Amino acid sequence: MTSNRLEVTFLGKTIKNPIVAASGCYGYGLEQPELLPPEAFGAITLKGLSATPKRGNPPPRIAETPCGMLNSIGLENVGIEAFAKNTWPHLRGLGVPIIANFFGDDETEFQKAAQMLSDLEGLFAMELNLSCPNKPQWGRILASDPKVASRLVRLIKPLCRYPLIVKLSPNVASISEVAKACEDSGADALSLINTLLGMAIDVDAKSSRLGTRFGGLSGPSIYPIALRMVSEVSRAVRIPIVGMGGVSSPEDAIGMMLAGASLVGVGTLLLVNPFGVEEIKQGMLAYLDRHGLEKVACLQGRL
Amino acid sequence: MTSNRLEVTFLGKTIKNPIVAASGCYGYGLEQPELLPPEAFGAITLKGLSATPKRGNPPPRIAETPCGMLNSIGLENVGIEAFAKNTWPHLRGLGVPIIANFFGDDETEFQKAAQMLSDLEGLFAMELNLSCPNKPQWGRILASDPKVASRLVRLIKPLCRYPLIVKLSPNVASISEVAKACEDSGADALSLINTLLGMAIDVDAKSSRLGTRFGGLSGPSIYPIALRMVSEVSRAVRIPIVGMGGVSSPEDAIGMMLAGASLVGVGTLLLVNPFGVEEIKQGMLAYLDRHGLEKVACLQGRL
Amino acid sequence: MPTSCSSRTSTALSPDLSVRPASSPCQTEGEVVAIAQAGAGIFWLELALSLLPMSPMAGQFAMVGFKDTQDPLLNRPLSIASFEAGSTGCRVGFLVAIRGKGTRRLAEARQGHKLRVIIPMGQSFLRHVGPDQRRIIAVAGGVGVAPMVLLGRQIKQVSPEADFLLLYGAKTKAELAKRHLGLTDGLYVATEDGSEGFKGRVTELVEAERALLLQAGGSAKVFACGPLPMLYALNKLAERHRFDLVVSFEGPMGCGMGFCLGCAMENREGMYVKLCQKGPVMDAKEVDWERLTRSDELRGAGCDFKPA
Amino acid sequence: MPTSCSSRTSTALSPDLSVRPASSPCQTEGEVVAIAQAGAGIFWLELALSLLPMSPMAGQFAMVGFKDTQDPLLNRPLSIASFEAGSTGCRVGFLVAIRGKGTRRLAEARQGHKLRVIIPMGQSFLRHVGPDQRRIIAVAGGVGVAPMVLLGRQIKQVSPEADFLLLYGAKTKAELAKRHLGLTDGLYVATEDGSEGFKGRVTELVEAERALLLQAGGSAKVFACGPLPMLYALNKLAERHRFDLVVSFEGPMGCGMGFCLGCAMENREGMYVKLCQKGPVMDAKEVDWERLTRSDELRGAGCDFKPA
Ligand SMILES: Cc1cc2nc3c(=O)[nH]c(=O)nc-3n(C[C@H](O)[C@H](O)[C@H](O)COP(=O)(O)OP(=O)(O)OC[C@H]3O[C@@H](n4cnc5c(N)ncnc54)[C@H](O)[C@@H]3O)c2cc1C
Ligand SMILES: Cc1cc2nc3c(=O)[nH]c(=O)nc-3n(C[C@H](O)[C@H](O)[C@H](O)COP(=O)(O)OP(=O)(O)OC[C@H]3O[C@@H](n4cnc5c(N)ncnc54)[C@H](O)[C@@H]3O)c2cc1C
Ligand SMILES: Cc1cc2nc3c(=O)[nH]c(=O)nc-3n(C[C@H](O)[C@H](O)[C@H](O)COP(=O)(O)O)c2cc1C
Ligand SMILES: Cc1cc2nc3c(=O)[nH]c(=O)nc-3n(C[C@H](O)[C@H](O)[C@H](O)COP(=O)(O)O)c2cc1C
Ligand code: FES
Ligand code: FES
């Protein structure tokens, strides 16, 4: 059996491989059970959920950019209640660790969402999204200020029945400052990076190519930024990191682990090349062989 | 004559077209007089200069990334004295407005550089580089903190005989905050963006693909971020903006102007496709025709 | 011979969507076996797939992308215009209009070039056809004719009794991709400049040939694909003349797989639905036409149409 | 017939560089007219240029890139292996080893594909050849043979009296690109596995055939191109046996035009020089060999060599 060579430990649990579906790029995990089965992943992060359903932003919501894409989905979701009733029963039985990404439009909603998710049976972890660039309701990206982030983590952590992962934003001067603030406030793990705030213009129409003015940049173009931030944060904190942002090849995923990530998130890749998940896992095994390493876990932070 | 349709006014001067060579990507303007003549540009920003010569960073200094590149040149330069003696006499006579980009390792060096450049005859403007991501000497990127940036602008502005452009960094939570701080402190114009701090790993060597740990990301991949920042800053300040970051086509350049830039900087493009400068100018003229516009200056901030 | 896509039974329902995907797509490699100009700015692209997907039904699409570069990054949705599976492999054909970066690069592909293909996706026209259907009228504008090519072939299998008419419009004769339609009977052409067939828009042709709709006991169904202004005008006709209209939208998509919510389109109840799963083929009655065109939401379709 | 690159007189000196570029490059389009396997992992690429550049001299390189995508973004430096200008146009040939993303995509180019070409750049071997030169010994490792192909042709024009010997090493016979050398006389081959010619490294072949160096009145000059470990070992030999060595480096480059300072290489005086303008061909005596190899500074060259 080669498969347990990809095993890693994360938040006290054995995860069968380090590849995690990033939030918002694999829906609720059940959309394409044959094309890209949930079991391919070490863990799955769900599309961001909130206490009440959210409409999201007006289309167009996607604009391609060089080696990347902007999205302005705006956290459309069915709400935790509908999710718990209609989707969770189907997901639970799969045996794949599920991370529920969540948010609110204000503090009360954040708290409410944390409570509602804690009422679900069988989650693996909860991921607090403080870093969506498409929430004008927030006034600013919450994770761009260490004080704001810290306050929210402190508020929410006590309500969480499951380990709390805090998702960080790259739209900051010093991501390790925010990372430390979150660690000090009780975060069990960190995930980074969310998208970079960007813009695309249709020059002929003289307007945004999105239904909103700005959107969030993801995909291969942001990989160098994500890798740097993972490297920086991994030296600044002791809690584990889910590294993501533009990962699209085995080398990218290995790079993330060398830079200090425990798990590697893939988002935009899933939209483009679902088979990429298998390619990454195979490529990791080949790399282990080439370098005479026993387990992928050996790579972590080896840079 | 079509050529004056591209004319723009910037800092009180008529510039024959809005395309500016970005600092560090066109050397000192004399490297390739036939391949890409200095006269192609509306203005030329020189490679960053300092009071004393600087060695720069150890190679490798360039690593390609998806639709982008990292550089860790580290502001290697011959020093203002050697520049003034050997290069300036050749440059001055060209009739192309020259912007001298400058920096120092500490405050005194910044001041010294400003003074030395002010001693040159015939510069068009000076560009204060507070945003290089390859200066560990600075402790942090100076332009990532509005207070630090403001302090330096106040210190340096009085020493400048020529208009002062301040070059901003994208590695911040709110670039308009820094922009406003610089405006309030006396900057005559702003240029943005410098590179994003990034990293590339050679996974087989388990080391950085650069001679340093991190480098600065430039090229098409960062265009959406640059465009957003130009759009944001142009609403926050009243001084003019040199918009740059990933511009590689006529549409990109037009987008920058629609978003609020007065001039458009091209950096990485020059390293790849010198003929792109001509393509952009031709494409701008075609756009003006298509949209029944008289002058490219009409585009500015029309979004 | 290509191996068949593994098919496993799954009880899971697509969670936020009442419509179960019409079929399970698979991801495979498509090797260019034919590429040829089909009209001005339009080309025919034929790929040999290395896996055998579920048989696509007319109106379904594939996501097609580049394996050797990440610029362009996203796969492009293309309607399936032909599909043949035999013992020597399987081939899928597309009619593609050159629009931007992705389609331009596709047009430059040579034989042997390998593309990423995810196929088949979305809802088909066929689920709107009853076995008793007597007449199907397909209305196509420009490259919107692509799904109608497959429809013309498949309709006979589903409703052997139905006759199939294609009303096909383009700006000029040069832009008609007639060679690849596989049709001779029942083809009505309109060109805006009158260089072939009826002079005018295809919607004007529909109006002019209204009698076609009334024959066959009034049970004719109209299937349409083309630019948004065309679909909008056609819907007005459908409301006025009370015929059944089913349309296919070519709105921008992120993934085509239901993952990203990037293809949201508002329906009559004011809810966002995923065009890639609930569509691209939709009953015209489910569409909020005024909002769709007013809010410019399908701007991605290259539509500069402003309703009067 | 291609128009000639405009040439204007310029008095400006390259400011921080004592070496004036050997020639003014021009940017043009190169259409693939021939592409063929030349050995395992190596292919021959021939482009028809749409502008007539200054005639390249052996050792000079071109920057070659993709026009239809920005991934890969940067142009790749390639040594010019052949150049022919006639009344029907001009052609440039390259020998390319498949290494990473860029060279792999190049290898997949088809006839008619258009590339960006900036040509010619950098210093040539020829400026190290006197008219009285009696013997030139070229030592090439792997695809480092590329500039030697052109050198073999041009040497006769510069020093008609000189005889030209090529010592060419590769790992195995399969990796030799002999067909494209245009040489039969004076070729000495080494393979590491002994599958052709001398068994061992090309530097060992140099050592073994040391006699070649001593003939022709001791005035033989050695020109070399190949992996860094080979150049390093050769320099050791040059110091020991006191022959003149001129080397060409294949270090990573950003622009190749002198703009970016991305190709910095430390010289004997501890100063960074631009490899793209001061090199790629350099007198071995100007190079700080210990630092070069110790500091891993040419890691880009794919060199995992650690001097003992
Ligand atoms: C279900 C479906 C089926 C389609 N079938 C076909 C087909 O059979 N043949 C065909 O030629 N085209 C078809 N299209 C449209 C095709 O997908 C787009 O033309 C293509 O994605 C444009 O890519 P590009 O890179 O060339 O253009 P881009 O550079 O991405 O954009 C160029 C222009 O096309 C617009 N555009 C971008 N994406 C889309 C999109 N998905 N749909 C429409 N316009 C878009 C852009 O807004 C822009 O104005 C279909 C679209 C959908 C959603
Ligand atoms: C002056 C000069 C002349 C050259 N002549 C030839 C030639 O005639 N034929 C030929 O096959 N190659 C030649 N090279 C090397 C060639 O440029 C590289 O192999 C090529 O750029 C690698 O690009 P890639 O995208 O395939 O690899 P990448 O994906 O960019 O990298 C793959 C590997 O190649 C290394 N690499 C990247 N850039 C270079 C570089 N410039 N030089 C060496 N290694 C690099 C990387 O570090 C990595 O290990 C020359 C290089 C120089 C500087
Ligand atoms: C279409 C889309 C939707 C996303 N939705 C969410 C979300 O709901 N919650 C969240 O925390 N991140 C969301 N993200 C961010 C991703 O989870 C990820 O952090 C980011 O895209 C960077 O990774 P990538 O480059 O691999 O996509 C979304 C990204 C995309 C592209
Ligand atoms: C090789 C290189 C060297 C650079 N050197 C400088 C510099 O000396 N001073 C400076 O202010 N910016 C420097 N920059 C930043 C550019 O001027 C520009 O702000 C940045 O690259 C973004 O633009 P681009 O994407 O068009 O390259 C450099 C960029 C590159 C790629
Ligand atoms: S295109 Fe991604 S969900 Fe429809
Ligand atoms: S490669 Fe850019 S200066 Fe040499």
Side-chain angles (χ1 to χ4, degrees), chain A:
Chain A
M1 274 274 301
T2 53
S3 79
N4 62 6
R5 295 180 67 190
L6 294 182
E7 265 176 22
V8 288
T9 311
F10 184 73
L11 294 172
K13 191 180 166 100
T14 299
I15 305 280
K16 73 178 193 287
N17 73 65
I19 308 306
V20 180
S23 180
C25 300
Y26 191 56
Y28 296 114
L30 300 172
E31 280 75 5
Q32 295 287 356
E34 301 184 17
L35 180 60
L36 179 55
E39 294 83 359
F41 296 99
I44 291 168
T45 317
L46 306 176
K47 173 68 189 168
L49 288 162
S50 50
T52 54
K54 302 283 174 199
R55 247 178 96 68
N57 287 327
R61 288 176 169 184
I62 300 272
E64 195 180 73
T65 65
C67 288
M69 60 177 271
L70 290 167
N71 88 77
S72 61
I73 310 298
L75 298 180
E76 172 180 343
N77 80 95
V78 295
I80 299 177
E81 205 177 302
F83 167 78
K85 203 171 121 221
N86 303 328
T87 313
W88 185 232
H90 297 289
L91 262 177
R92 266 198 74 177
L94 295 179
V96 183
I98 301 292
I99 302 168
N101 180 284
F102 70 102
F103 71 98
D105 284 356
D106 55 34
E107 285 188 2
T108 325
E109 276 198 30
F110 265 109
Q111 289 171 294
K112 188 121 182 266
Q115 279 160 334
M116 289 172 79
L117 288 176
S118 294
D119 288 342
L120 291 182
E121 287 303 322
L123 275 182
F124 168 47
M126 296 161 61
E127 185 177 68
L128 175 61
N129 180 358
L130 302 178
S131 45
C132 180
N134 292 315
K135 290 302 290 180
Q137 296 88 341
W138 291 351
R140 67 185 302 176
I141 297 170
L142 301 171
S144 69
D145 184 332
K147 283 194 222 75
V148 175
S150 169
R151 184 184 147 75
L152 274 156
V153 175
R154 275 181 216 280
L155 208 62
I156 285 155
K157 171 64 187 169
L159 309 173
C160 298
R161 182 173 152 204
Y162 301 102
L164 182 66
I165 306 171
V166 179
K167 186 152 180 187
L168 303 183
S169 169
N171 302 285
V172 292
S174 166
I175 194 165
S176 30
E177 241 176 78
V178 187
K180 268 186 284 188
C182 292
E183 179 181 42
D184 293 344
S185 310
D188 299 300
L190 300 170
S191 67
L192 56 141
I193 59 176
N194 209 316
T195 54
L196 283 128
L197 193 58
M199 182 181 197
I201 294 181
D202 178 332
V203 295
D204 282 315
K206 297 201 189 73
S207 66
S208 172
R209 275 163 58 205
L210 296 169
T212 51
R213 191 165 153 232
F214 297 153
L217 183 66
S218 65
S221 56
I222 70 169
Y223 178 74
I225 301 167
L227 188 66
R228 183 265 298 182
M229 289 186 163
V230 166
S231 173
E232 234 184 276
V233 169
S234 82
R235 295 190 182 192
V237 301
R238 287 186 299 185
I239 49 178
I241 294 170
V242 186
M244 75 186 97
V247 170
S248 67
S249 70
E251 289 71 33
D252 292 347
I254 292 163
M256 278 287 177
M257 295 194 74
L258 291 172
S262 299
L263 298 178
V264 179
V266 287
T268 303
L269 174 68
L270 305 179
L271 310 185
V272 176
N273 177 22
F275 196 67
V277 176
E278 208 47 45
E279 288 167 4
I280 290 177
K281 289 190 291 181
Q282 294 307 323
M284 282 184 149
L285 287 172
Y287 181 90
L288 294 181
D289 287 343
R290 209 158 66 236
H291 288 262
L293 295 168
E294 176 51 28
K295 294 193 141 238
V296 79
C298 306
L299 299 177
Q300 203 201 311
R302 282 276 294 264
L303 194 79

Side-chain angles (χ1 to χ4, degrees), chain D:
Chain D
M1 213 196 97
T3 27
S4 153
C5 254
S6 82
S7 166
R8 63 173 217 176
T9 45
S10 159
T11 52
L13 276 171
S14 191
D16 61 335
L17 200 77
S18 53
V19 195
R20 174 114 183 78
S23 56
S24 266
C26 76
Q27 179 174 351
T28 176
E29 193 176 75
E31 182 177 329
V32 177
V33 287
I35 182 158
Q37 178 119 9
I42 300 184
F43 61 99
W44 173 257
L45 175 69
E46 205 166 321
L47 306 178
L49 303 185
S50 44
L51 274 184
L52 182 67
M54 291 181 69
S55 278
M57 291 181 292
Q60 289 192 295
F61 62 100
M63 296 296 288
V64 178
F66 301 97
K67 291 168 65 92
D68 56 349
T69 181
Q70 311 202 82
D71 174 44
L73 178 68
L74 300 171
N75 303 317
R76 300 316 201 230
L78 293 175
S79 300
I80 300 162
S82 81
F83 183 81
E84 274 156 41
S87 57
T88 57
C90 97
R91 289 178 168 220
V92 56
F94 304 99
L95 261 180
V96 189
I98 299 178
R99 218 163 270 176
K101 182 153 75 169
T103 48
R104 203 173 314 119
R105 281 206 77 211
L106 263 189
E108 287 163 8
R110 300 286 141 88
Q111 278 204 18
H113 197 96
K114 302 216 164 90
L115 297 164
R116 183 189 303 118
V117 182
I118 307 176
I119 185 172
M121 346 267 288
Q123 304 297 330
S124 156
F125 282 117
L126 297 181
R127 69 183 186 119
H128 297 270
V129 192
D132 56 339
Q133 198 73 48
R134 302 303 298 271
R135 171 160 289 178
I136 303 289
I137 300 179
V139 182
V143 78
V145 78
M148 305 312 183
V149 179
L150 189 60
L151 183 62
R153 296 181 194 184
Q154 293 187 331
I155 202 74
K156 281 142 223 262
Q157 296 158 29
V158 187
S159 329
E161 300 304 306
D163 59 353
F164 179 74
L165 309 181
L166 174 59
L167 279 60
Y168 173 27
K171 288 221 175 68
T172 65
K173 179 177 174 168
E175 285 172 33
L176 291 166
K178 274 173 69 178
R179 208 166 2 121
H180 295 277
L181 301 186
L183 253 196
T184 40
D185 284 357
L187 175 63
Y188 297 71
V189 165
T191 53
E192 288 182 34
D193 67 352
S195 48
E196 182 158 337
F198 178 86
K199 176 168 176 170
R201 293 169 186 263
V202 71
T203 45
E204 293 161 346
L205 176 61
V206 172
E207 179 83 71
E209 298 283 353
R210 199 155 15 115
L212 296 172
L213 294 165
L214 302 175
Q215 284 170 17
S219 84
K221 242 191 172 132
V222 178
F223 290 168
C225 184
L228 193 52
M230 173 196 124
L231 300 181
Y232 181 86
L234 208 53
N235 183 60
K236 286 264 171 258
L237 288 180
E239 286 173 355
R240 188 170 335 133
H241 302 300
R242 299 177 180 279
F243 57 83
D244 282 350
L245 178 64
V246 176
V247 295
S248 177
F249 287 109
E250 303 200 334
M253 287 185 181
C255 66
M257 296 177 270
F259 293 153
C260 73
L261 303 178
C263 57
M265 189 176 126
E266 217 163 347
N267 68 10
R268 270 266 150 102
E269 288 93 59
M271 305 278 287
Y272 284 131
V273 297
K274 295 190 226 176
L275 191 61
C276 70
Q277 296 205 318
K278 178 92 179 171
V281 172
M282 292 176 77
D283 193 314
K285 291 196 204 67
E286 290 173 41
V287 178
D288 184 343
W289 289 98
E290 295 314 317
R291 179 179 291 272
L292 192 61
T293 44
R294 188 178 64 244
S295 66
D296 228 37
E297 286 191 355
L298 281 189
R299 193 155 9 108
C303 160
D304 50 6
F305 175 72
K306 303 267 174 292

Side-chain angles (χ1 to χ4, degrees), chain C:
Chain C
M1 215 197 92
T3 27
S4 153
C5 254
S6 82
S7 164
R8 64 172 215 178
T9 44
S10 159
T11 52
L13 277 171
S14 191
D16 62 336
L17 201 77
S18 52
V19 197
R20 173 117 184 78
S23 55
S24 266
C26 76
Q27 179 174 351
T28 177
E29 193 176 75
E31 182 177 330
V32 177
V33 286
I35 183 159
Q37 178 120 7
I42 300 184
F43 62 99
W44 175 257
L45 175 69
E46 205 165 320
L47 306 178
L49 303 185
S50 43
L51 274 184
L52 182 67
M54 289 183 70
S55 279
M57 292 181 290
Q60 289 192 297
F61 63 99
M63 295 295 290
V64 178
F66 300 98
K67 289 168 67 93
D68 56 348
T69 180
Q70 311 203 83
D71 175 44
L73 177 68
L74 301 172
N75 303 316
R76 301 316 201 227
L78 293 175
S79 301
I80 300 161
S82 80
F83 182 81
E84 273 158 42
S87 57
T88 57
C90 96
R91 289 177 166 221
V92 57
F94 304 99
L95 262 179
V96 190
I98 299 179
R99 219 163 269 177
K101 182 154 74 168
T103 48
R104 203 174 312 118
R105 282 206 76 212
L106 263 188
E108 286 162 8
R110 300 285 143 87
Q111 278 203 17
H113 196 96
K114 303 218 165 85
L115 296 163
R116 183 188 303 115
V117 181
I118 308 176
I119 185 173
M121 345 267 286
Q123 303 297 329
S124 155
F125 282 117
L126 297 182
R127 69 182 186 121
H128 297 270
V129 194
D132 55 339
Q133 198 73 46
R134 303 303 298 271
R135 170 161 288 177
I136 303 288
I137 300 180
V139 181
V143 80
V145 77
M148 305 312 181
V149 179
L150 189 59
L151 183 61
R153 294 181 195 185
Q154 292 188 329
I155 201 76
K156 282 141 225 264
Q157 296 157 27
V158 187
S159 330
E161 300 305 303
D163 58 350
F164 179 74
L165 308 180
L166 174 59
L167 280 60
Y168 173 26
K171 288 222 176 68
T172 64
K173 180 177 172 165
E175 285 173 33
L176 291 166
K178 273 172 70 178
R179 209 167 2 121
H180 294 278
L181 301 186
L183 253 198
T184 40
D185 284 357
L187 175 63
Y188 297 71
V189 165
T191 54
E192 288 183 33
D193 67 352
S195 48
E196 181 159 336
F198 176 86
K199 176 168 177 171
R201 294 169 186 263
V202 71
T203 46
E204 293 162 344
L205 175 62
V206 172
E207 177 85 68
E209 298 284 353
R210 196 155 17 113
L212 295 173
L213 295 164
L214 303 175
Q215 284 170 15
S219 82
K221 234 178 182 144
V222 178
F223 290 167
C225 184
L228 194 52
M230 173 196 122
L231 300 182
Y232 180 86
L234 208 53
N235 183 59
K236 285 265 173 256
L237 288 180
E239 286 174 353
R240 190 174 329 135
H241 302 301
R242 299 177 179 280
F243 57 81
D244 282 352
L245 178 65
V246 176
V247 296
S248 177
F249 288 109
E250 303 198 335
M253 287 183 182
C255 66
M257 295 177 272
F259 293 154
C260 73
L261 304 177
C263 57
M265 188 177 128
E266 217 162 348
N267 68 8
R268 271 267 150 103
E269 288 93 58
M271 306 280 286
Y272 284 131
V273 296
K274 295 189 224 174
L275 193 60
C276 70
Q277 295 205 317
K278 176 91 177 172
V281 172
M282 291 175 79
D283 193 315
K285 291 194 204 69
E286 290 174 39
V287 179
D288 185 342
W289 289 98
E290 295 314 316
R291 178 179 292 269
L292 191 62
T293 44
R294 190 179 62 244
S295 67
D296 229 39
E297 286 190 357
L298 282 189
R299 193 158 6 110
C303 161
D304 52 4
F305 175 73
K306 302 268 174 291

